Amino acid sequence: MSLLNVAYLLIAIISVGVTIFDIIQIRIHAQPKVWRILLYLAVAAFSLVLTLQQSQHFDDLVSGAFIVVMFICFACWQKGLADAAMIGGLGSIRLYQNLSGVVLQANAGGTLLLAQAGQVMVLKLQFRQSPTDLQSFLVDKMPPEQIQIVTG
C-alpha cells in the first residue's frame, strides 16, 4: 500500500469521526436541505459504480472509496444548535461568544434564525421549533439581550 493510499484512508477515517461527532453534538437540528443531501448521495453512488467498474488496481479502489466516503460525509453533515456553537455547515461553525446577536423570526415552517457578528449576518438556519423554544435553549448560551424575537 502506497503512502498516498494510507493518507486517503486516514483522511476518510478522520472525516467519518468528525461527522459522527457533529451528529452527536447537535442538540436542536435545523431543517436539512433535501436536494443537497440527495445530490451528495447521488454523486457518491455514481462514484461507487464508476469505481467498481473501472478500477484495475488496488490504488484505484482506494481513491474511489475515498471519494465515496467523503460525499457520504458531506450528505450526513448536520446543521443546528450545539452546546458550544451554532453549526451551519462544514466550514461554518460559530461559537456563541463570537456572535453579537441572534434574530429569531417566526414563519410558516417554524423559525428562521439569523446569527450576526457585528452588523454582518454570518449564519441563517431554518428550524421547525417555535422562536420561544429556541430562545429558551439560547438563553443559557449567550446574553438574553442579544436574542431578539421578530414576529411577522
Side-chain angles (χ1 to χ4, degrees), residues 3-152:
L3 187 59
L4 185 58
N5 287 343
V6 172
Y8 279 148
L9 291 174
L10 287 175
I11 292 170
I13 290 168
I14 291 169
S15 297
V16 168
V18 168
T19 302
I20 292 170
F21 182 75
D22 167 62
I23 292 169
I24 292 169
Q25 292 299 310
I26 299 282
R27 299 291 177 242
I28 300 177
H29 293 272
Q31 289 181 342
K33 292 185 177 14
V34 176
W35 65 267
R36 181 188 65 85
I37 294 170
L38 293 176
L39 176 67
Y40 283 137
L41 291 176
V43 172
F46 182 70
S47 298
L48 178 63
V49 169
L50 282 180
T51 298
L52 294 175
Q53 285 182 347
Q54 302 295 323
S55 295
Q56 296 178 357
H57 304 287
F58 182 71
D59 291 344
D60 300 337
L61 283 172
V62 171
S63 64
F66 172 76
I67 292 168
V68 170
V69 167
M70 292 307 295
F71 275 108
I72 291 172
C73 285
F74 296 157
C76 293
W77 189 262
Q78 301 286 310
K79 297 179 181 182
L81 303 176
D83 286 330
M86 292 182 188
I87 300 175
L90 290 169
S92 180
I93 299 174
R94 307 291 178 184
L95 297 174
Y96 293 114
Q97 65 257 24
N98 294 341
L99 298 173
S100 60
V102 172
V103 176
L104 303 171
Q105 181 178 357
N107 59 21
T111 302
L112 178 66
L113 181 146
L114 303 170
Q116 299 172 323
Q119 296 298 321
V120 179
M121 182 185 66
V122 293
L123 191 58
K124 179 179 172 183
L125 296 172
Q126 177 69 38
F127 292 90
R128 289 186 178 96
Q129 291 82 358
S130 70
T132 53
D133 291 342
L134 295 177
Q135 182 185 28
S136 64
F137 177 82
L138 291 171
V139 78
D140 296 334
K141 314 296 182 223
M142 54 193 314
E145 62 270 7
Q146 290 182 342
I147 304 167
Q148 178 184 3
I149 295 180
V150 177
T151 55

